[in-house]
Amino acid sequence: MPANRPHYILLPVSPLFIAFSLTCAFMLNLLPWGRWIGAPDFVALVLVFWGIHQPRKVGIGVAFCMGLLMDVHDATLLGENALAYTLLSYASIMIHRRVLWFPVLTQALHVFPLLLLAQAIQSLVHVFATGRFTGWLHFVESAVAVALWPVISWLLLAPQRRAVDRDHTRPI
């Protein structure tokens, strides 16, 4: 990390922006590419982001509700996504202090096992319910989601960034 790189203090996040971002992620999951191989789970990605950056505002209850919405949309066993998102949210809240110390690309490496765990839970529930394995290509979604982590981080942190001010007499 270069020593001359500035560190910015972020503005507080609006609860309306959090709700808007979760709604947009849900709408992206509703698009027809959701059944394609490699299409990321945007709701899971946004839940992990807010679980890391705002654990007091987006917690396990929000993850459970979003999981139920995804269960209804996917017409899966009721609670399959809810269980995965709840455990995903819990894990992201548990590591949020550590992950925030790292740059965005290293954060993506920390997020990757969480997304893999959520997909493994979804696959296990699917196997127990139907007796069929979804296949190993199902786990490509986590790699695609991790590749999108820097873009998602930049987009969701954009409203919180302060304007760069050249006044050096101000303490902050």
Side-chain angles (χ1 to χ4, degrees):
M1 212 192 233
N4 59 358
R5 187 175 138 205
H7 296 282
Y8 297 106
I9 297 175
L10 298 174
L11 295 171
V13 64
S14 168
L16 290 175
F17 181 70
I18 293 174
F20 174 73
S21 66
L22 287 169
T23 303
C24 287
F26 181 69
M27 294 299 171
L28 283 172
N29 276 2
L30 291 180
L31 291 175
W33 67 46
R35 297 289 181 198
W36 293 357
I37 293 174
D41 188 356
F42 290 103
V43 173
L45 192 59
V46 172
L47 282 171
V48 168
F49 177 83
W50 289 123
I52 289 173
H53 287 275
Q54 296 293 327
R56 292 184 182 195
K57 292 185 179 179
V58 178
I60 296 171
V62 173
F64 182 77
C65 292
M66 293 302 292
L68 288 179
L69 285 174
M70 285 305 299
D71 286 333
V72 170
H73 164 65
D74 290 340
T76 59
L77 183 65
L78 191 63
E80 178 180 327
N81 288 315
L83 175 66
Y85 288 171
T86 302
L87 294 174
L88 180 69
S89 178
Y90 175 75
S92 64
I93 290 170
M94 289 297 295
I95 67 166
H96 85 275
R97 290 180 188 244
R98 176 181 38 194
V99 171
L100 290 175
W101 280 93
F102 296 110
V104 176
L105 293 177
T106 310
Q107 288 178 8
L109 294 176
H110 282 83
V111 167
F112 185 59
L114 299 180
L115 294 172
L116 275 177
L117 175 71
Q119 282 196 307
I121 291 168
Q122 289 172 337
S123 292
L124 282 174
V125 170
H126 187 74
V127 165
F128 287 139
T130 63
R132 291 181 293 136
F133 181 59
T134 56
W136 293 107
L137 287 177
H138 177 70
F139 294 100
V140 172
E141 296 175 12
S142 295
V144 174
V146 166
L148 290 174
W149 180 259
V151 176
I152 294 293
S153 293
W154 184 80
L155 282 173
L156 294 180
L157 287 177
Q160 298 173 9
R161 289 191 183 91
R162 295 176 185 254
V164 178
D165 193 7
R166 303 280 181 200
D167 187 9
H168 297 290
T169 60
R170 290 179 35 191
I172 295 179

